Amino acid sequence: MRERDEALWSSRYHLRLADKVFESTLEGIMVTDANGVIERVNPAFTRLTGYSAEEAIGQRASLLSSGRQPPEFYAELWRALREDGFWQGEIWNRRKDGELYLEHLTISGIRDEDGGYSHYAAVFADITQRRLAEERLSYLATHDALTGLPNRALFGERLERALSRALRMGRRMALLFIDLDRFKLVNDTLGHGTGDKLLKAAAERLRDSVRKSDTVARMGGDEFTVILEEIGDVQHVAQIAQKLVDAVGAPCDIDGAALSVTPSIGISIAPDDGRDPQQLLTQADRAMYRIKQDGKNGFRFFTQDMNESTHDRLRLEHDLRRALENDALTLHYQPRLSLADGRVVGVEALLRWPHPTRGMVPPSEFIPIAEESGIIVALGEWVLRRACRDARGWLDAGRSPGRVAVNVSARQLLHGDFFDGLLQGLADAGLPATALELELTESMALTGHAQAHALLQAVADCGVSLAVDDFGTGYSSFEYLSSLPIDTLKIDRSLLRGPVPDASARGIIRAIVAMAEALGLSAVMEGVETAEQADFLREIGCPQVQGFFYARPMPEPELRKWLAAQAAGVAAMMCPAMSSTRSNTTSGACARRASSRV
C-alpha cells in the first residue's frame, strides 16, 4: 500500500514538473491531434503568435499559415511526420495581427499504446531578427555600405562568371574602370559628408545608365567598375561609355549647391584584350590612367602601347629613386617681385631632374609618379633641406632674395615626422624660420582636418610663413580661409587665360586680390607672361607677381648672378626671361620698367 502511494505521489510530482516546464519555457509549444487540430498551447505560444489559448484550441495548425510556402511544402512535411514522426526546419508563419515571422520549428510525433502517432508536439522559436541580422552581415560582406553597390569581393565573383560565360558562348564582354576627376578636391574642401552624398549620386547615375543585367560596383574611394555582358561591338560600348560620361558629369544638387565631378573611364574588352579577370582589370585601369593624362572627362579603350607606357613609368620610378639616393636632383629658383617697385621679395624652389639619358624630365612627368609611389615624402625632405642650405648661403653672401618658398605635398604634410623634420632642416642649415615659406595647394590647406589645422598653426608659430598655392580653382570657404595662419595667396596661373585676361578671369582675379587685402594677406599672381597681363595686375593693385615675363626658373649659381645684377640695377638682367625671341614691343616695355627702377 505504501509503495503504491509513493509511486502515485512520484507520478503526480513528475506530471506537475512537466506541466511547469511546459508553461514556463520560452519556446512556443503547440500540441495537436493526429489530424493537426490544436489541443494545447503554452503561454509562449500566445506571446509569439498573438493567439490566446481559447482562440487557438480547436483550430487547425494552419491557423498560422503565412501563404509563403507552397502546398507541396506542407505535403512533404506531413509525409515526414506520418512516416518518420519527425520534422525540423524553418518556416514562415503569420501572427494574429498579420505580421509575418520566421520560426525554427521542430515537430515530434507522440505514439499511442498501439504504436501509432496520436499526437504531435511542435516546439518553435522566432528567429526573424537573427535571420535579418545574418542577411545584413552577408549583404555588408558583399556590398558597399555607402552606395549599396556590389563591393570589390562581389565584383570579382561576377567578373569571373561573366568572363566564363563570354568565353563559353563565344561572345564579347566589356569591363569599364571609372575614376571621378578631382573628387578629392570636393572631399577635402567641402567635407566628407558632402563627398559621400556626391558618391551616392554618382553611383545612382551609373546604375541607372546601364541594363539591370550589367554590374556596377564600387571598388573603394571614388573608383567604380561596370561589367557589360553580351555587347554587340566596340561602337556599342563607346556609346554606353559616353552615356556614363554625360550622366555622371552633369551638375548635382547637394544641399542646395550645384556640384559636379567628371568621370575618366578606361575600357578593356574580352576576349580581345585578355582571358584573365585580373588582366582585364589591370588593362582597364591603364586605359583609365591614359584618359587622365589626356585631360580627364572621357573614355579610352585599352591598347597595347599602354603596356609600354606602364613599363616606362616603372622604369622612371626606379630611376627617380636612384637619382634621389645619388643626389642627382637639382633645384631651380624663380623670383617673386613686388609689382610696385620691382623689388625681389622671394624665390620659389622648383625641383628639376636632369636624367642621364632622357635629359631634363618635366615635373609633370615625375611628380605624379612620386605621389603614387610614396617617394614624394623623401623628395620633399630633400627639397626642403637643399633650399634651406642655399638660402643660408645667400644670407652669408649678402644676396638674400627674401623668403625661399618650398612646395609641400599633402602626403608630406601629414607624415608623422614632418614638423620635426622641418625644424631639423632649419637647424642644420642655420636658417632663421622667418626666411622660409611653405606653399600648400588650395585643397590641402582648406581640408578642415583638425590635425592639419593644428600642424599649420604650429608651423606658423615657429616663424615659418605659409602660402596657399594655385588659389582660385577649388571650393574655398571665406570663413575657413580667414581662420588659417596663412600669409600669402598665390593665384592660379590658369585664371589669366591667354595673353590678355578675358572679362570673367579679370573679375575673378580682381575679387581674389580684394579678398586677400581684406584678410591682410599678400596676393601673388603666378604665370605672368605678357606686358598686357602685367598692366592689368598693376591696375587692380595686385601687390606681387611671378612668371616668365619677369624671370624664368634658374639654377642657384645663375640666380646669384641675377640677384647681383638686380642689385646693381643692370637693365639687361632685369629684362623678362632674358629671351632673345622676345618681341621688340615686349623688350621695350621691359627696358622702360628697368630704367624706372634704376
Side-chain angles (χ1 to χ4, degrees):
M1 182 75 174
R2 182 179 178 182
E3 291 179 357
R4 186 176 64 201
D5 290 343
E6 288 178 353
L8 181 61
W9 179 88
S10 177
S11 176
R12 288 174 178 173
Y13 170 78
H14 285 95
L15 285 173
R16 284 196 302 271
L17 182 61
D19 198 53
K20 287 290 185 182
V21 172
F22 183 85
E23 294 293 324
S24 61
T25 186
L26 296 178
E27 286 80 14
I29 300 176
M30 174 179 67
V31 179
T32 73
D33 64 14
N35 296 314
V37 176
I38 301 173
E39 293 189 356
R40 188 178 179 184
V41 297
N42 71 341
F45 173 94
T46 299
R47 177 173 54 80
L48 293 172
T49 69
Y51 289 101
S52 65
E54 292 77 14
E55 292 172 320
I57 293 173
Q59 300 291 329
R60 298 187 66 83
S62 57
L63 170 73
L64 304 176
S65 177
S66 65
R68 292 281 296 270
Q69 288 82 214
E72 296 78 16
F73 174 87
Y74 294 103
E76 177 59 25
L77 183 151
W78 277 108
R79 185 202 63 77
L81 290 177
R82 292 192 175 100
E83 293 182 6
D84 306 321
F86 181 83
W87 185 89
Q88 186 177 60
E90 295 177 358
I91 184 171
W92 283 97
N93 274 336
R94 190 182 300 275
R95 308 186 206 277
K96 181 181 178 180
D97 62 6
E99 180 187 7
L100 293 175
Y101 68 99
L102 182 66
E103 67 180 39
H104 184 272
L105 175 63
T106 300
I107 307 176
S108 301
I110 302 173
R111 296 182 184 272
D112 57 18
E113 296 177 353
D114 298 328
Y117 295 112
S118 61
H119 292 81
Y120 295 100
V123 180
F124 63 93
D126 184 348
I127 61 170
T128 309
Q129 294 304 315
R130 187 180 76 187
R131 173 55 60 84
L132 290 176
E134 291 173 351
E135 290 177 351
R136 178 63 178 166
L137 288 174
S138 176
Y139 178 85
L140 291 176
T142 57
H143 289 76
D144 175 55
L146 176 66
T147 63
L149 295 177
N151 62 12
R152 181 182 291 269
L154 183 56
F155 159 77
E157 295 176 7
R158 292 191 178 179
L159 178 58
E160 286 188 2
R161 288 200 297 267
L163 181 57
S164 177
R165 280 193 296 268
L167 296 176
R168 185 174 63 252
M169 301 175 68
R171 296 181 177 176
R172 283 175 163 179
M173 62 149 286
L175 174 60
L176 282 62
F177 196 104
I178 304 168
D179 183 87
L180 302 183
D181 305 325
R182 301 182 71 197
F183 173 76
K184 188 178 184 301
L185 179 63
V186 176
N187 223 19
D188 288 347
T189 56
L190 300 182
H192 291 279
T194 299
D196 286 349
K197 292 176 183 178
L198 200 56
L199 282 175
K200 291 175 70 174
E204 290 177 7
R205 292 178 177 186
L206 289 172
R207 190 164 40 204
D208 293 343
S209 299
V210 297
R211 302 165 298 184
K212 290 185 178 180
S213 59
D214 298 323
T215 293
V216 179
R218 183 185 178 201
M219 302 296 283
D222 59 348
E223 294 180 340
F224 298 85
T225 51
V226 178
I227 302 172
L228 302 176
E229 298 193 59
E230 298 185 19
I231 59 174
D233 52 30
V234 173
Q235 185 60 36
H236 177 216
V237 179
Q239 292 172 354
I240 296 175
Q242 187 59 54
K243 182 179 179 181
L244 295 178
V245 169
D246 296 338
V248 175
C252 183
D253 188 331
I254 304 293
D255 296 331
L259 301 179
S260 62
V261 287
T262 56
S264 291
I265 305 177
I267 308 169
S268 60
I269 306 290
D272 307 52
D273 297 327
R275 296 169 172 262
D276 176 74
Q278 187 56 49
Q279 182 185 19
L280 290 174
L281 184 61
T282 299
Q283 292 169 341
D285 184 35
R286 289 174 181 171
M288 183 274 293
Y289 186 81
R290 176 61 62 84
I291 186 62
K292 287 274 192 186
Q293 288 181 311
D294 293 345
K296 308 181 177 64
N297 190 23
F299 62 90
R300 287 286 184 277
F301 286 90
F302 171 78
T303 56
Q304 286 301 322
D305 70 291
M306 294 178 186
N307 278 330
E308 285 298 319
S309 176
T310 300
H311 293 152
D312 186 59
R313 285 174 59 80
L314 292 175
R315 287 192 293 268
L316 208 57
E317 178 185 335
H318 174 265
D319 291 348
L320 181 58
R321 291 184 186 276
R322 291 190 60 185
L324 182 60
E325 292 169 359
N326 298 330
D327 202 28
L329 300 166
T330 186
L331 289 183
H332 285 196
Y333 295 94
Q334 186 172 32
R336 193 164 92 197
L337 297 91
S338 166
L339 192 56
D341 55 17
R343 287 183 304 107
V344 179
V345 294
V347 291
E348 180 180 358
L350 299 168
L351 183 61
R352 294 294 184 261
W353 179 16
H355 193 279
T357 60
R358 297 171 182 254
M360 194 67 76
V361 181
S364 59
E365 286 188 22
F366 71 82
I367 293 297
I369 295 175
E371 289 276 7
E372 291 175 11
S373 63
I375 308 174
I376 194 68
V377 174
L379 279 180
E381 292 174 354
W382 185 91
V383 171
L384 180 63
R385 288 180 172 275
R386 178 59 60 88
C388 287
R389 189 188 73 182
D390 289 346
R392 180 69 257 180
W394 302 328
L395 283 174
D396 293 341
R399 298 295 186 196
S400 174
R403 290 194 184 102
V404 58
V406 174
N407 291 279
V408 178
S409 73
R411 181 174 290 192
Q412 183 185 0
L413 180 70
L414 296 176
H415 192 270
D417 298 330
F418 173 77
F419 187 65
D420 291 340
L422 170 65
L423 297 180
Q424 190 63 51
L426 290 168
D428 290 346
L431 184 71
T434 53
L436 179 65
E437 180 176 82
L438 300 183
E439 292 190 6
L440 309 100
T441 61
E442 181 179 3
S443 60
M444 190 195 329
L446 304 180
T447 59
H449 194 293
Q451 178 186 352
H453 193 288
L455 178 59
L456 294 180
Q457 189 61 58
V459 170
D461 289 344
C462 78
V464 175
S465 179
L466 292 170
V468 176
D469 197 12
D470 302 331
F471 188 81
T473 59
Y475 302 93
S476 303
S477 164
F478 183 89
E479 179 181 1
Y480 186 69
L481 184 64
S482 64
S483 72
L484 290 171
I486 59 175
D487 308 292
T488 304
L489 290 183
K490 300 191 72 175
I491 307 171
D492 190 78
R493 68 185 65 238
S494 65
L495 293 175
L496 285 178
R497 298 176 185 170
V500 182
D502 60 27
S504 174
R506 289 198 300 270
I508 295 173
I509 296 170
R510 192 187 303 270
I512 294 175
V513 170
M515 180 184 69
E517 183 178 1
L519 293 174
L521 307 176
S522 295
V524 182
M525 186 69 239
E526 297 181 289
V528 182
E529 297 184 355
T530 68
E532 292 81 4
Q533 292 172 348
D535 291 341
F536 161 70
L537 294 169
R538 187 177 295 105
E539 173 193 327
I540 66 172
C542 182
Q544 297 179 16
V545 288
Q546 181 178 330
F548 287 2
F549 188 62
Y550 298 95
R552 292 178 179 272
M554 60 192 85
E556 194 275 337
E558 189 175 323
L559 177 67
R560 283 186 179 237
K561 297 178 182 178
W562 191 91
L563 292 171
Q566 176 85 352
V570 179
M573 296 302 295
M574 295 293 294
C575 190
M578 299 177 292
S579 171
S580 60
T581 60
R582 187 167 299 279
S583 68
N584 291 334
T585 301
T586 303
S587 298
C590 170
R592 287 195 298 275
R593 282 196 313 280
S595 61
S596 68
R597 288 193 290 264
V598 175

